[in-house]
Amino acid sequence: MMQPQEIKQLIENGLPDCHAQVDGDGRHFQATVVTPAFEAKAPLARHRLVYSVLEDHIHSDELHALSMRTLTPEQWQKEQG
Amino acid sequence: MDEVQEAIKKQVDSHPVILFMKGTPQFPQCGFSMKASQALAGCEADFAYVNVLEDERIRQGIKDFGNWPTIPQLYVNGELVGGCDIILEMYESGDLEQLVRNAGAAQGSGA
């Protein structure tokens, strides 16, 4: 079973200047991912980037479901008000 | 291209709006598939669907087809739109309704 902390590290190590917040119960996870790598990318491409660093764990079904929000640092700042 | 990939391509090409999901819109077998099909239904446009649980080869094959590791997956006019998160995001913003209506789904394409 994967821990949210493990997924957070995989995402943050895999993407440049990335901050991730991950919650979950070991099977289903929710992540908010913030990185400048998302700039000028559509949601589909952003999700593909995150999937790419988690690929092995998804294919093995160790990571069954990950719901995610993908934001650029600018979008994130705006949300914080 | 193998048989399964060809079968998927045929389905995607012959339906302007098609959702690959676990279960059916009436009896979804997964929370994510349920939310995705509800969002599409909320757009008041017809859409086709494939229950991937009925065929293990499609269940695996659809992941390779669009190079997308999870289900549900929405295709509009032959192109992958995304999974559950993207579908819901687009539904909230109104983009989904516009997309599926412009896809000619209003003319009816139910599977």
Side-chain angles (χ1 to χ4, degrees):
Chain A
M1 204 159 87
M2 291 190 87
Q3 296 303 317
Q5 188 62 23
E6 196 183 337
I7 296 170
K8 173 184 162 76
Q9 268 165 9
L10 282 168
I11 295 174
E12 289 188 341
N13 293 340
L15 299 172
D17 293 323
C18 178
H19 295 277
Q21 189 190 324
V22 182
D23 299 303
D25 61 6
R27 283 288 282 171
H28 296 80
F29 298 91
Q30 304 86 41
T32 300
V33 185
V34 183
T35 167
F38 291 153
E39 268 159 36
K41 284 199 167 67
L44 189 80
R46 294 179 182 196
H47 283 226
R48 278 197 201 283
L49 265 182
V50 180
Y51 281 144
S52 71
V53 304
L54 299 172
E55 212 174 4
D56 295 345
H57 301 274
I58 293 173
H59 284 173
S60 67
D61 206 35
E62 200 182 352
L63 175 50
H64 174 68
L66 175 71
S67 170
M68 54 177 138
R69 301 190 63 228
T70 51
L71 305 170
T72 63
E74 202 180 327
Q75 288 173 323
W76 170 251
Q77 290 244 313
K78 258 185 205 161
E79 277 198 3
Q80 305 310 300
Chain B
M1 205 185 272
D2 72 16
E3 212 177 290
V4 176
Q5 295 296 309
E6 256 170 53
I8 293 172
K9 185 164 183 0
K10 208 170 168 185
Q11 285 169 324
V12 163
D13 285 346
S14 53
H15 301 288
V17 181
I18 184 165
L19 182 70
F20 290 81
M21 64 183 291
K22 294 180 180 172
T24 68
Q26 288 74 31
F27 297 103
Q29 300 290 312
C30 159
F32 299 101
S33 287
M34 179 178 74
K35 286 184 199 164
S37 68
Q38 282 174 347
L40 277 173
C43 294
E44 290 178 10
D46 288 336
F47 63 95
Y49 68 87
V50 172
N51 177 2
V52 301
L53 298 181
E54 282 179 353
D55 191 336
E56 185 60 29
R57 294 168 311 163
I58 300 282
R59 183 177 178 174
Q60 287 309 316
I62 191 63
K63 296 179 182 178
D64 300 328
F65 182 76
N67 186 28
W68 190 262
T70 56
I71 293 162
Q73 296 185 19
L74 174 66
Y75 284 81
V76 174
N77 291 335
E79 275 191 31
L80 177 63
V81 173
C84 185
D85 295 327
I86 292 174
I87 294 168
L88 292 184
E89 228 171 81
M90 290 182 71
Y91 178 64
E92 298 288 326
S93 70
D95 290 346
L96 186 67
E97 186 169 354
Q98 208 175 354
L99 182 71
V100 298
R101 291 199 169 178
N102 290 343
Q107 277 93 56
S109 61

